[in-house]
Amino acid sequence: MAKKIDDRVKEVLQKQGFDWKECLWDCHGTWVMYHRFIEIAAAQNNIKYELSEIETNSKEGIVVIKCVGSLKDNTVTTYGEASPKNNKNAYPYAMAEKRAVDRAVLKLLGLHGFIYSEDEIEHTKPEPKPQPKRLSREEIEVYVNAAKNLDEKDKIAYWKSLSAIVRDQIREYTDDLASK
């Protein structure tokens, strides 16, 4: 049975323009947010972050990534970890990075502890849903505009942090604009 969603969560999600029924799912009484909505929230709020490797053992599939994230005058430090004990995919570096960034974004938005990232709950995901809807033109423009003010190094890190689905949709959009 799903717990009631805290009114503070609903308020923050509404400010982001999100419908909680689209961006959250109930995992045995814990509310979980889909990764792509966390990415959109980070871009909309101009959240900055720096990543560093704390522990890596490629052979054993163990990775710990430190993320220092900032939103205006607020800074948080958090970690994302991946190991065979909590990660079943073949990409422990990517998973550790996603977990670290998602935690930082949720903390900066005041949501961590109320909801969690889907990448923290990987082994208990619900039945697969249909492919996520295509991003709207406005959503894509948020990503594109967020990258415009970044220096080249930050821009590369920003694009790498986006999911493949989001990157592909942005490329299609910018290719369409260039061809017109």
Side-chain angles (χ1 to χ4, degrees):
M1 172 105 181
K3 286 191 305 190
K4 181 180 182 290
I5 297 176
D6 190 283
D7 289 336
R8 291 171 284 194
V9 171
K10 288 181 180 177
E11 184 180 320
V12 171
L13 295 176
Q14 189 173 28
K15 285 181 185 176
Q16 302 305 314
F18 298 157
D19 177 351
W20 70 268
K21 293 173 189 139
E22 281 187 36
C23 66
L24 299 179
W25 57 275
D26 173 40
C27 178
H28 310 293
T30 299
W31 287 105
V32 180
M33 189 169 191
Y34 290 104
H35 175 72
R36 80 179 190 100
F37 287 96
I38 296 172
E39 286 184 340
I40 292 168
Q44 288 176 339
N45 290 279
N46 202 26
I47 291 176
K48 307 281 188 212
Y49 55 86
E50 291 193 25
L51 302 171
S52 55
E53 294 178 358
I54 300 301
E55 180 179 351
T56 61
N57 182 332
S58 295
K59 183 178 178 185
E60 299 296 324
I62 298 170
V63 181
V64 178
I65 301 288
K66 176 181 177 182
C67 179
V68 178
S70 61
L71 173 61
K72 299 177 184 164
D73 294 333
N74 192 11
T75 301
V76 298
T77 301
T78 191
Y79 300 85
E81 54 284 307
S83 76
K85 292 179 181 178
N86 67 11
N87 179 47
K88 304 298 179 215
N89 72 40
Y91 308 100
Y93 286 84
M95 184 57 70
E97 179 183 319
K98 285 169 65 175
R99 288 174 176 168
V101 171
D102 285 0
R103 286 177 188 155
V105 171
L106 290 174
K107 285 181 178 192
L108 289 165
L109 294 175
L111 294 173
H112 197 264
F114 295 100
I115 61 175
Y116 296 89
S117 163
E118 72 177 306
D119 296 313
E120 294 183 89
I121 314 291
E122 178 192 1
H123 61 287
T124 56
K125 284 186 181 176
E127 289 296 314
K129 288 191 172 188
Q131 280 290 337
K133 70 175 180 139
R134 295 201 51 85
L135 296 174
S136 69
R137 179 183 185 119
E138 292 78 22
E139 289 171 318
I140 291 173
E141 286 174 356
V142 167
Y143 285 109
V144 172
N145 289 333
K148 285 182 181 176
N149 299 324
L150 299 175
D151 63 31
E152 199 58 34
K153 179 183 170 197
D154 289 340
K155 198 176 286 188
I156 291 168
Y158 173 75
W159 288 114
K160 283 183 178 179
S161 73
L162 300 178
S163 72
I165 293 171
V166 171
R167 281 195 305 263
D168 290 346
Q169 290 183 38
I170 291 171
R171 281 190 193 109
E172 288 173 17
Y173 171 77
T174 53
D175 289 348
D176 287 346
L177 286 179
S179 67
K180 291 181 181 180

